[in-house]
Amino acid sequence: MLSIRARNMHALIRICLALLSGVLVYASYQPQGFSVAGVVGVAVLYAGFSPIKGQYVSLRLGAAIAASHCFVLYMLLLPWIGEFVGNFPYISLAVFLSLYGIILGVGAAALQRVPYPWLWFAFLYLAVEWLRSHFPFGGFAWVRLAWGQVGSPLANLASIGGPALVTFVTVVLATGSYTIAFRRHMTIIVVCFLIIAAGTAWTTVTMGSSKSIGEVSVAAIQGNVPRLGLEFNAQRRAVLANHVAETSKLKEREPVDLVIWPENSSDVNPFSDVEAKELISQAVAAASAPVLVGTITHDEVGPRNTMVVFDPETGPGEFHHKKFLQPFGEYMPMRKFFRLFSEKVDLAGNFQPGNGTGIVRMRAATSGTAVTVGIATCYEVAFDAAARDAVRADAQILTTPTNNATFNFSDMTYQQLAMSRMRAIEVDRAVVVAATSGVSAIVQPDGTVTQHTGIFEAKTLIETLPLRNSSTIAVRYGSTIEYTLVIIGWLAMIFALWRFNNTSAAPASATKPNRKSPSQSTSSTAKKKNR
């Protein structure tokens, strides 16, 4: 048995490994983009749970290890939230998200007592990520491990199982590599690595092999905002005027088929404001092409975050109401309760979610053919259903209109662009990212960015993009694959905890003194005398 001082030293080493792993995993996300750091970071985290000189971590220490890892990671990854609401809510969110680490840590500590813990840990990691991405209030999928792999070959696996499979394989590579270093379970690890290599190679080779059914020339408009920070909302007419002015420049360039404006490019409702409607009509006429406009509408349910098609011939057309709304931003759950902690809850909106398939049809200006455009407005891009539902509804191209102006020069826009790139790979569609203030970008179906803007500059991106009607494995079976892996993860944790409780109880009973009854003691003494 180790002394108390040695145990404390081992615990400190494990916590330090957890802190280091948080920094490494953070480095994998954009704009840093060191994808291999994500694999190394998870390997370092897993090392914190592994036995040292035969001594296993307790469930309590396991919880502390994972929570420490998560806290460092989210504190580094999410400062952009503080740009909007201040440091207190940002730190509170990081602390809250770290609570999911307690589940991961407890499960990881218990899994060390079962065979092949490195493999079961990958299932458990994904299960906890799934929980965090769905609960509560729709979850927070922004911090999925997969987003940090968008620049690596592993991202290509998204076409099979979406971001969930990318996360799972990343963890398998990390824990398997760590285990190989100690030469354990070599055969099964090598088999897993060969499967991963074959899957990655297959998706890489087949990527781009889908045949296009046509092409379309698209313009992404970034009109910019008049100044930084929350105050820009008070100048929404100026934001609209900026996008009108930038769009008007299209008449001096080559003809385009479609024009994409960002989310909130017209915060003035053109259906209730005559001046806003006239300005948009002016821009549409100058472009001589349909324009997808981000605006705010109202109906009997309440305010909506809406993308509306304005056609130069037929006027306003199809629309998409944002379905996945950002809690504590676009709406405030439990407003009265959270107001007890901060009056800033009243900065949150009261938007109502939409429904539908997430597509609109736009008439290509040069050919007159209808193009089905799938929309994932800003925060929606983090949710699997947004892109998959649109593609199932025959979306031939995707767009991510977004408004990042309130987040200044933070990493938020780069993290979001990484998600759009992963979605392009996942569903085999080109993606047009249009932002009010940056970064706007053109993303090819293989996830590469061919054009992008800077932050806070007025600019137009024009490119001819492929139209596709393919359906990837992820679109058809991605949810089934994810749920299967997640269920295995929860079952593995339950079994490990059950076994942990049983093995912990056995030694306790075995060490109890064998107390004989008085009659047994007397009988034994008599036998000795008779000998």
Side-chain angles (χ1 to χ4, degrees):
M1 294 292 291
L2 293 176
S3 65
I4 295 178
R5 181 177 180 181
R7 287 199 298 269
N8 290 341
M9 180 59 66
H10 284 180
L12 179 61
I13 292 173
R14 294 179 190 278
I15 295 297
C16 288
L17 288 174
L19 300 177
L20 174 61
S21 69
V23 175
L24 289 170
V25 173
Y26 161 72
S28 69
Y29 292 91
Q30 298 295 322
Q32 290 75 29
F34 300 109
S35 299
V36 68
V39 179
V40 176
V42 175
V44 173
L45 171 64
Y46 183 73
F49 297 114
S50 298
I52 297 179
K53 295 182 178 180
Q55 296 297 314
Y56 291 92
V57 297
S58 65
L59 301 185
R60 181 180 299 179
L61 179 56
I65 291 169
S68 299
H69 161 83
C70 292
F71 182 70
V72 169
L73 172 59
Y74 303 144
M75 284 294 290
L76 294 173
L77 191 64
L78 302 175
W80 52 268
I81 291 175
E83 297 281 348
F84 184 67
V85 291
N87 288 332
F88 176 74
Y90 145 58
I91 296 172
S92 299
L93 177 61
V95 171
F96 175 76
L97 294 176
S98 299
L99 297 179
Y100 292 88
I102 295 175
I103 303 174
L104 176 64
V106 168
L111 285 172
Q112 292 300 318
R113 277 100 167 157
V114 302
Y116 310 116
W118 61 272
L119 182 58
W120 302 121
F121 179 79
F123 288 100
L124 175 62
Y125 190 102
L126 179 63
V128 174
E129 182 177 273
W130 174 87
L131 182 67
R132 186 176 55 241
S133 299
H134 287 79
F135 304 100
F137 313 125
F140 194 67
W142 198 276
V143 295
R144 297 171 81 170
L145 181 67
W147 308 134
Q149 297 300 313
V150 72
S152 80
L154 296 183
N156 297 337
L157 294 172
S159 64
I160 299 177
L165 183 60
V166 177
T167 289
F168 176 76
V169 171
T170 301
V171 179
V172 169
L173 283 178
T175 57
S177 298
Y178 171 81
T179 306
I180 280 179
F182 295 92
R183 301 187 64 80
R184 293 179 292 174
H185 313 311
M186 288 290 292
T187 302
I188 190 171
I189 293 176
V190 170
V191 171
C192 286
F193 280 16
L194 288 175
I195 294 174
I196 291 171
T200 305
W202 179 76
T203 55
T204 303
V205 170
T206 58
M207 183 168 294
S209 62
S210 300
K211 293 183 179 179
S212 299
I213 58 173
E215 58 184 24
V216 63
S217 177
V218 183
I221 305 297
Q222 180 171 301
N224 206 3
V225 298
R227 67 178 183 231
L228 309 184
L230 282 173
E231 295 79 12
F232 92 96
N233 281 316
Q235 303 174 64
R236 55 190 184 276
R237 290 187 184 276
V239 175
L240 172 57
N242 284 356
H243 285 81
V244 171
E246 188 64 30
T247 304
S248 297
K249 298 176 183 178
L250 288 174
K251 59 186 175 182
E252 303 171 0
R253 305 177 67 169
E254 69 272 18
V256 297
D257 291 308
L258 312 175
V259 180
I260 309 297
W261 278 16
E263 174 192 36
N264 302 130
S265 48
S266 177
D267 262 355
V268 185
N269 186 353
F271 298 103
S272 60
D273 188 285
V274 175
E275 182 182 357
K277 186 175 181 179
E278 290 178 351
L279 284 171
I280 292 173
S281 298
Q282 175 186 331
V284 174
S288 298
V291 180
L292 184 63
V293 177
T295 188
I296 305 299
T297 60
H298 294 264
D299 57 22
E300 65 280 0
V301 178
R304 307 277 198 175
N305 188 332
T306 307
M307 299 298 300
V308 186
V309 177
F310 284 82
D311 189 276
E313 295 183 4
T314 59
E318 297 188 10
F319 58 85
H320 165 70
H321 292 320
K322 190 174 183 179
K323 296 189 294 184
F324 300 96
L325 300 177
Q326 181 185 6
F328 305 97
E330 291 175 302
Y331 78 99
M332 174 55 66
M334 304 169 60
R335 191 182 294 266
K336 290 183 179 179
F337 172 76
F338 286 108
R339 191 182 287 117
L340 297 174
F341 303 94
S342 174
E343 294 181 355
K344 290 187 177 181
V345 298
D346 292 322
L347 293 174
N350 189 34
F351 286 95
Q352 301 302 310
N355 49 34
T357 55
I359 62 169
V360 296
R361 294 170 183 85
M362 303 176 70
R363 181 186 56 84
T366 60
S367 66
T369 58
V371 178
T372 307
V373 180
I375 304 173
T377 306
C378 196
Y379 187 63
E380 288 187 309
V381 74
F383 294 85
D384 296 341
R388 292 177 186 175
D389 287 351
V391 170
R392 291 190 192 105
D394 300 326
Q396 300 163 324
I397 191 172
L398 300 181
T399 182
T400 306
T402 182
N403 175 18
N404 299 333
T406 54
F407 303 111
N408 294 334
F409 290 94
S410 69
D411 291 350
M412 182 270 186
T413 187
Y414 301 104
Q415 294 170 9
Q416 188 180 62
L417 176 57
M419 299 175 199
S420 293
R421 294 173 60 191
M422 186 75 76
R423 296 304 179 194
I425 298 170
E426 178 185 3
V427 301
D428 191 33
R429 296 294 188 276
V431 180
V432 180
V433 180
T436 50
S437 57
V439 170
S440 299
I442 303 295
V443 183
Q444 296 293 330
D446 64 357
T448 59
V449 176
T450 51
Q451 293 187 62
H452 66 86
T453 68
I455 298 181
F456 292 107
E457 70 167 329
K459 191 171 182 179
T460 298
L461 305 178
I462 299 177
E463 191 157 338
T464 300
L465 297 171
L467 299 176
R468 293 186 175 172
N469 61 359
S470 57
S471 181
T472 63
I473 297 175
V475 170
R476 288 173 288 165
Y477 307 112
S479 296
T480 301
I481 293 172
E482 179 178 21
Y483 288 139
T484 300
L485 297 175
V486 166
I487 290 171
I488 293 173
W490 291 127
L491 292 177
M493 178 178 175
I494 293 171
F495 173 76
L497 288 173
W498 172 81
R499 180 167 178 172
F500 174 83
N501 289 333
N502 285 348
T503 55
S504 297
S509 61
T511 55
K512 290 181 180 179
N514 184 18
R515 297 177 181 176
K516 299 179 180 179
S517 64
S519 60
Q520 289 176 321
S521 178
T522 304
S523 174
S524 176
T525 304
K527 288 180 180 178
K528 288 181 180 179
K529 289 182 178 179
N530 291 335
R531 290 176 184 173

